[in-house]
């Protein structure tokens, strides 16, 4: 082991912000100001490498980069920046990234001020005891009010004036001050563990076809050389290192990673699940006794079925999911079959945005045409025998006669909006079974509303409804609370007397009638007419709660009759009636894709309120 390493010239920091507050643009300016990227190679959203990230203007994957910086005192510093996602679905990645840092830049829009996700990220940073510097961004906008927002941020976190920097990531104004503040206020990594056995925190990973799983790490204790063998403590997997290096911003090989440094390890492992985010890497020959604290596997919150439109593409979908999981370990999936849709996969996602991104990536990158069932959450079902099952697919729900209690996940919800929208937000949350909590005025115009709300109500349409009712001004953040008992029922849909498992859903008993009626009305318009009447029914158990009928196409069998005895006409009509009855017994109804998408648009709170 070497003598204690001087880490005084290393700064590890992250950029945290609400979505669309200019975080990726600020990262571009920092790369430009430090000369990490040449002017020729510089382009917008340097650290957002996926097409989807550029199109949607969001960061999906955390990225790291090492920047050399010569400060005003003439000293050269190694700045390790970890860019993080801003959307609430990816808060787990944010928390792991913060664990690899000693400080954070909090970026706040000078026009919009503190938003819900801003507060959530601040609390995450405070949990990790990080030094914080606030950047009031977009001061070049005509409606910017940096003084008001700066005071708001300062009062909220308790920062001094030097730690609140007005800047414009677009124009580059204030960027030199930000770099100086990083050197001045963010502490250097602790070097007390330099002589201890290696412990490196994994804060992200991706898969490379030639080098296997590449783990993004921060070395907390000890040091790592290229010729060593490592052990991953959580999964107990061993590997010979193929390469170690740093990001500048592309992967650049180095011979050693020392205490306090951020870099990557090419492990050669072929399964990304063996290298979980938050796990600890140590040496195989001289292992550490305890892993670094705080490791938890990412937990799927939303579940949906993904089916290929062409049933012959099932093997292609399986291969695509395997390859996509190599770059996104938070995606879970298992094979399932549906009588209506054929063979597909039941997938678990971190949230609805994560589900949308996975589906888009599968369709774009692997040229698949997919059909997604309605998203659902995971329920706890307690049977009369005392057994507890976890159910995320309505078709797996046991008979309700054997169930003593069903529990559903609830979330702590925080909404920040202008105070003039309090009434419309309360109306929305009431229709979504939310339980009101605190109401806190942040200033004379903006208010924070806290609720407890079932996750099932939150994942379908809530965000869109909130944005439309508040003209885009409201922001929200949510965290898992607990599982609570609820009066839930399974709503089945029968088409021509046959249950369509892919259209089943679990919903609250009070909402079942409205959702059932909406669904059968939507299906009546979408299912094509047959040569016989097609009944569409919504049922709870054996009780039909709503029905619509797709009328049969009628052939005029009397067209060839020009007068004559009425008994001849009656005979032709009776023959037609018998034929339609026989056809109905043996005929099958093909349900179009649009029918399955109709489930996603159910439960509009405004419609429900009008019906009540």
């Amino acid at each position: 082991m070497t003598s204690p390493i001087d880490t005084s010239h290393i700064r590890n920091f992250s950029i945290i912000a609400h979505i669309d507050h200019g975080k990726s643009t600020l990262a571009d300016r920092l790369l430009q100001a430090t000369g990490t990227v040449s002017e020729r190679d510089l382009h917008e959203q340097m650290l957002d490498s996926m097409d989807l990230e550029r199109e949607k203007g969001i960061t999906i994957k955390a990225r790291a980069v090492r920047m050399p910086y010569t400060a005003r005192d003439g000293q050269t510093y190694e700045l390790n920046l970890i860019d993080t996602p801003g959307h609430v679905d990816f808060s787990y990645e944010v928390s792991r990234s913060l664990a690899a840092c000693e400080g954070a830049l909090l970026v706040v829009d000078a026009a919009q001020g503190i938003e819900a996700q801003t507060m959530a990220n601040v609390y995450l940073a405070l949990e990790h005891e990080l030094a914080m510097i606030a950047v009031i961004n977009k001061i070049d906008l005509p409606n910017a009010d940096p003084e008001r927002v700066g005071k708001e941020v300062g009062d909220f976190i308790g920062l001094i004036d030097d730690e609140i920097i007005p800047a414009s990531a677009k124009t580059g104004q204030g960027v030199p001050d930000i770099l100086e503040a990083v050197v001045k206020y963010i502490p250097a990594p602790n070097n007390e563990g330099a002589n201890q056995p290696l412990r490196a925190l994994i804060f992200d990973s991706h898969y490379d076809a030639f080098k296997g799983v590449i783990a993004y790490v921060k070395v907390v204790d000890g040091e790592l050389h290229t010729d060593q063998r490592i052990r991953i403590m959580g999964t107990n997997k061993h590997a010979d290192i193929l390469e170690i290096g740093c990001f500048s911003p592309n992967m650049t090989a180095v011979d050693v990673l020392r205490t306090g440094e951020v870099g990557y390890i090419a492990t050669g492992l072929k399964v990304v699940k063996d290298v979980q985010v938050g796990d600890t890497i140590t040496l195989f020959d001289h292992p550490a006794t305890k892993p670094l604290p705080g490791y938890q596997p990412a937990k799927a919150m939303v579940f949906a079925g993904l089916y290929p439109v062409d049933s012959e593409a099932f093997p292609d979908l399986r291969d695509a999911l395997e390859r996509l999981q190599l770059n996104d370990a938070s995606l879970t999936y298992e094979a399932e079959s549906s009588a209506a849709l054929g063979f597909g996969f039941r997938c678990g996602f971190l949230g609805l945005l994560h589900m949308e991104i996975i589906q888009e990536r599968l369709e774009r990158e692997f040229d698949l045409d997919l059909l997604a069932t309605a998203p659902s959450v995971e329920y706890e079902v307690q049977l009369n025998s005392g057994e507890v099952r976890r159910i995320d697919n309505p078709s797996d729900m046991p008979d309700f006669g054997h169930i003593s209690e069903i529990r559903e996940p609830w979330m702590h919800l925080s909404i920040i909006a202008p105070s003039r929208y309090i009434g419309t937000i309360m109306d929305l949350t009431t229709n979504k079974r939310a339980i009101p909590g605190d109401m806190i005025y942040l200033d004379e115009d903006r208010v924070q509303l806290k609720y407890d709300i079932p996750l099932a109500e939150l994942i379908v349409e809530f965000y869109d409804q909130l944005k439309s009712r508040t003209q885009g001004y409201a922001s929200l953040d949510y965290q898992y609370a607990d599982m609570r008992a609820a009066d839930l029922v399974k709503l089945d849909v029968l088409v021509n007397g046959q249950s369509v498992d892919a259209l089943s859903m679990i919903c609250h008993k009070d909402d079942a009638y409205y959702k059932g009626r909406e669904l059968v009305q939507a299906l009546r318009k979408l299912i094509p007419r047959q040569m016989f009447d097609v009944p569409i029914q919504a049922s709870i158990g054996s009780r039909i709660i709503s029905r619509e009928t797709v009328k049969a196409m009628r052939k005029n069998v009397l067209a060839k009759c020009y007068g004559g005895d009425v008994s001849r006409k009656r005979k032709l009509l009776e023959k037609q009636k018998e034929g339609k009855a026989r056809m109905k017994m043996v005929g099958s109804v093909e349900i179009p894709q649009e029918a399955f998408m109709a489930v996603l648009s159910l439960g509009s709170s405004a419609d429900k309120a009008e019906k009540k």
Side-chain angles (χ1 to χ4, degrees), residues 339-356:
L341 299 176
F343 292 101
F345 290 91
R346 191 75 181 169
C347 301
F349 309 96
L350 299 176
L352 215 56
L353 177 69
H354 187 219
M355 172 181 163
E356 180 189 332

Side-chain angles (χ1 to χ4, degrees), residues 61-253:
K61 293 288 290 178
R63 284 289 305 275
V65 61
R66 178 184 289 187
M67 303 181 294
Y69 172 62
T70 303
R72 290 169 185 165
D73 61 6
Q75 301 285 328
T76 300
Y77 293 85
E78 177 189 307
L79 307 184
N80 291 306
L81 161 64
I82 301 173
D83 187 26
T84 60
H87 195 277
V88 62
D89 276 10
F90 306 108
S91 57
Y92 176 76
E93 281 205 40
V94 177
S95 69
R96 292 299 94 217
S97 300
L98 294 180
C101 300
E102 285 76 42
L105 288 181
L106 174 68
V107 179
V108 183
D109 191 312
Q112 297 180 1
I114 290 178
E115 304 272 22
Q117 193 62 31
T118 314
M119 300 180 81
N121 285 331
V122 167
Y123 292 135
L124 276 175
L126 293 176
E127 278 178 29
H128 289 89
E129 300 180 351
L130 301 188
M132 296 196 65
I133 300 166
V135 177
I136 311 302
N137 194 24
K138 303 187 182 181
I139 60 171
D140 56 315
L141 293 179
N143 60 339
D145 191 352
E147 290 185 8
R148 176 186 66 80
V149 174
K151 185 177 184 306
E152 190 179 301
V153 172
D155 293 344
F156 175 51
I157 311 174
L159 299 176
I160 60 175
D161 289 344
D162 286 357
E163 296 170 321
I164 302 173
I165 303 167
S168 169
K170 187 177 180 181
T171 65
Q173 184 181 348
V175 170
D177 297 330
I178 293 171
L179 289 166
E180 284 298 316
V182 166
V183 169
K184 183 177 179 183
Y185 292 111
I186 292 179
N190 192 332
N191 66 347
E192 292 178 2
N195 292 325
Q196 301 297 321
L198 172 74
R199 289 198 302 174
L201 174 73
I202 304 169
F203 63 85
D204 199 8
S205 66
H206 82 268
Y207 184 79
D208 182 276
F210 302 103
K211 301 174 185 175
V213 180
I214 296 179
Y216 299 16
V217 298
K218 178 201 175 180
V219 180
V220 178
D221 295 331
E223 62 180 47
L224 182 65
H225 296 264
T226 51
D227 56 350
Q228 292 176 313
R229 185 171 174 81
I230 57 170
R231 178 165 75 89
I232 293 137
M233 300 186 78
T235 57
N236 203 29
K237 296 290 181 181
H238 308 150
D240 289 315
I241 296 173
L242 301 182
E243 181 180 297
I244 61 174
C246 63
F247 303 94
S248 59
N250 298 320
M251 294 196 298
T252 306

